[in-house]
Amino acid sequence: MSNTATLEINGEKHEFPLVVGTENEIGINIKTLRGVTGGVTTIDPGYKNTGACESGITFLDGEKGILRYRGYSIEDLADKADFLEVAYLLIFGELPSKDQLDKFHSDIKAQSVVDDDVKKIIDAFPKAAHPMGVLSSLTSALTAFNPSSVNVDSEEDMYKTVVKILGKFPVLVAWAMRKKQGLPLNYGSNSLGYVENVLKMMFEKPNEEYVQNPIIVNALDKLLILHADHEQNCSTSTVRIVGSSHAGLFASISSGISALWGPLHGGANQAVLEMLEAIKEDGGDTKKYMGKAKDKEDPFRLMGFGHRVYKNFDPRAKIIKVAADEVLADLGVEDPILDIAKGLEKEALKDDYFVKRKLYPNVDFYSGIIYRAMGIPTEMFTVMFALGRLPGWISQWREMRLRKEPIGRPRQIYTGENYRAFKDIAKR
Ligand code: ACO
């Protein structure tokens, strides 16, 4: 195979080297394109064909339905590892030894107190504020409480920043929910596991002890692992591009949270539940909504179906579907919403429109159902996604800084007015 690609523009040929990844993915390195062609650029709306970086963190093959973190399959990790192990793996590249994991956890715990003044910021938010907005603002506010910038050339500095955000973020997650519910802002307990602590902080009532349910702990752990990274998605690309200006980790993560909020990305899990509720309210006629989804005149889309990259099946959806069935059975939850979800899934999988376009249920189709069974309010679903995605964002930010990537600055093709002489206001 040739290791270059040739591009002919106006009769002139230009050669560009091919970049081959460890899984034999091929990219055309067009770094010199503008220079050798005198300013020709590429245009690729939504970056559907553009690789923004080389990365050694996550591999996914959308056609085959493969997802691996640092070479380990998502199936193995969801089955055999816990969330903190996966976080360590993503960020530092290797599975931790027992000692490394214990140290990592205790360093995170040592950072799990948030400056008390953060509570004043939370107080200033209206109760109706969406917890994603609150979380994004609070994460950005952490910069103000930790003003010294991280020296990325110091391993120790990097490590400290990483454990700091992993320690404080779950507190902000819990507080974003508690603010909405009018519950006092609390702290967890350093004697608990990372995920157990999250649950305690979220659900503990001021007047009764929170009793852990291992089924819920296990399901949440799994959900967080499944969401932990997904290579260059919208929020991760946002974190990398903001960080490429050498903005700090907290500011970069805060912008990732905003990117995740949208219903076409992480907000889909909330949108799925709202859609299922609406179908139920409307009599539960799934066929009617299938029709709406296929009608090009109707803006309605079947939330939780389709994926930019997975055009076969979403391997996370397979794992989570099993977990959803287990959690609902174990908790004895009977939920008409679930019946509607199952009905939609069944119909879509055999419907020509969905089959032709390779639209399969994605991870968000099932995650919302589990969160609901756990008693997590709908508006918190995307916040839970952010909690899971945190290690991915950190590892991608760290990789980008360690590889000394240049500032992200795409080009454009200008399609506006040509030069116009300025018109005085009296003559307009
Ligand atoms: N319902 C109905 N039709 C759909 C859906 C859907 N959920 N998704 C895609 N289509 C159709 C489009 O109308 C289009 O049809 P056409 O070829 O006749 O014009 C075709 O399928 C391709 O759709 P695109 O929007 O071009 O696909 P793209 O890869 O750009 O979008 C996306 C992927 C945004 C996820 C889309 O499938 C969608 O909107 N799904 C619903 C929202 C959702 O579940 N998002 C979560 C994504 S997963 C995550 O962020 C973790």
Side-chain angles (χ1 to χ4, degrees):
M1 188 187 82
S2 154
N3 54 5
T4 58
T6 309
L7 180 68
E8 189 173 329
I9 304 173
N10 292 334
E12 220 177 293
K13 286 187 177 166
H14 306 281
E15 299 257 306
F16 297 96
L18 297 184
V19 181
V20 184
T22 45
E23 291 288 342
N24 295 322
E25 292 170 299
I26 298 171
I28 306 168
N29 182 340
I30 55 155
K31 233 177 0 188
T32 57
L33 177 69
R34 287 180 58 80
V36 298
T37 58
V40 171
T41 198
T42 56
I43 193 109
D44 184 18
Y47 311 122
K48 289 193 179 193
N49 305 283
T50 297
C53 59
E54 290 178 28
S55 176
I57 301 171
T58 288
F59 170 70
L60 69 85
D61 181 330
E63 295 301 324
K64 295 194 185 127
I66 294 173
L67 173 62
R68 293 183 202 135
Y69 300 158
R70 302 281 191 186
Y72 296 100
S73 78
I74 192 64
E75 289 81 4
D76 275 351
L77 292 170
D79 190 33
K80 297 176 181 135
D82 72 22
F83 178 60
L84 265 200
E85 266 178 289
V86 170
Y88 188 100
L89 169 71
L90 281 168
I91 298 166
F92 302 112
E94 295 296 337
L95 283 168
S97 66
K98 172 90 176 63
D99 286 351
Q100 283 169 326
L101 186 61
D102 288 346
K103 179 176 179 329
F104 188 47
H105 194 192
S106 81
D107 292 337
I108 289 170
K109 287 193 275 199
Q111 289 294 337
S112 62
V113 173
V114 172
D115 193 302
D116 221 45
D117 278 348
V118 171
K119 290 180 180 167
K120 292 187 198 151
I121 303 177
I122 298 185
D123 270 350
F125 282 111
K127 211 168 175 184
H130 194 287
M132 279 299 272
V134 175
L135 184 67
S136 168
S137 311
L138 294 180
T139 308
S140 188
L142 282 185
T143 314
F145 293 96
N146 302 272
S148 57
S149 62
V150 53
N151 172 9
V152 296
D153 296 321
S154 152
E155 232 173 84
E156 198 193 333
D157 244 37
M158 272 291 216
Y159 181 80
K160 273 191 195 152
T161 311
V162 166
V163 293
K164 198 179 265 181
I165 195 153
L166 283 167
K168 298 187 194 312
F169 198 73
V171 181
L172 304 184
V173 162
W175 286 3
M177 177 172 122
R178 294 179 79 86
K179 160 78 187 177
K180 192 136 192 88
Q181 299 190 325
L183 288 166
L185 303 182
N186 62 350
Y187 275 107
S189 162
N190 277 350
S191 63
L192 294 173
Y194 193 80
V195 172
E196 287 172 325
N197 205 26
V198 169
L199 287 164
K200 176 181 160 71
M201 283 191 286
M202 286 175 71
F203 290 114
E204 188 180 46
K205 298 268 159 48
N207 51 358
E208 56 187 72
E209 196 190 335
Y210 178 71
V211 181
Q212 300 282 344
N213 178 337
I215 294 159
I216 291 187
V217 176
N218 182 44
L220 181 56
D221 200 90
K222 212 169 264 195
L223 271 166
L224 297 179
I225 292 173
L226 296 181
H227 283 98
D229 195 49
H230 213 230
E231 52 119 298
Q232 308 311 316
N233 56 83
C234 178
S235 58
T236 302
S237 300
T238 303
V239 169
R240 281 185 90 121
I241 207 162
V242 172
S244 76
S245 75
H246 295 192
L249 177 61
F250 301 151
S252 306
I253 300 276
S254 164
S255 43
I257 297 167
S258 300
L260 187 72
W261 193 354
L264 296 191
H265 189 12
N269 54 16
Q270 174 174 341
V272 168
L273 247 283
E274 284 167 356
M275 173 190 78
L276 295 173
E277 293 275 12
I279 298 176
K280 185 181 133 216
E281 288 305 305
D282 194 26
D285 184 355
T286 47
K287 286 204 169 65
K288 174 175 163 189
Y289 283 85
M290 289 287 293
K292 277 166 75 63
K294 294 189 280 184
D295 180 356
K296 291 289 164 205
E297 302 301 311
D298 191 323
F300 177 81
R301 273 192 170 196
L302 215 49
M303 287 317 216
F305 278 77
H307 197 277
R308 168 58 63 82
V309 181
Y310 293 121
K311 300 297 180 194
N312 183 339
F313 64 90
D314 180 341
R316 302 165 303 169
K318 267 196 173 172
I319 300 169
I320 213 61
K321 179 175 157 55
V322 175
D325 288 344
E326 277 169 12
V327 168
L328 292 164
D330 283 339
L331 296 178
V333 176
E334 284 193 19
D335 194 342
I337 291 289
L338 185 67
D339 297 334
I340 293 174
K342 283 189 170 155
L344 281 178
E345 181 197 20
K346 206 168 144 201
E347 280 169 43
L349 290 179
K350 58 177 195 223
D351 189 292
D352 246 20
Y353 174 98
F354 286 85
V355 172
K356 262 195 201 138
R357 289 170 180 76
K358 301 185 172 176
L359 301 170
Y360 296 89
N362 58 49
V363 67
D364 288 322
F365 188 68
Y366 301 105
S367 63
I369 291 163
I370 303 191
Y371 287 141
R372 181 180 158 94
M374 287 177 182
I376 297 176
T378 311
E379 279 197 333
M380 279 294 290
F381 291 179
T382 317
V383 170
M384 302 312 289
F385 188 160
L387 179 67
R389 184 54 53 89
L390 181 66
W393 287 332
I394 297 171
S395 59
Q396 299 273 352
W397 175 88
R398 185 172 172 273
E399 179 183 76
M400 180 271 307
R401 290 302 309 269
L402 291 180
R403 290 188 177 192
K404 308 224 178 299
E405 283 179 13
I407 185 165
R409 204 297 188 187
R411 291 277 175 170
Q412 63 166 23
I413 297 293
Y414 176 69
T415 58
E417 298 287 347
N418 291 118
Y419 171 76
R420 295 195 277 180
F422 183 78
K423 249 189 210 166
D424 193 79
I425 195 160
K427 294 189 182 147
R428 281 175 226 160

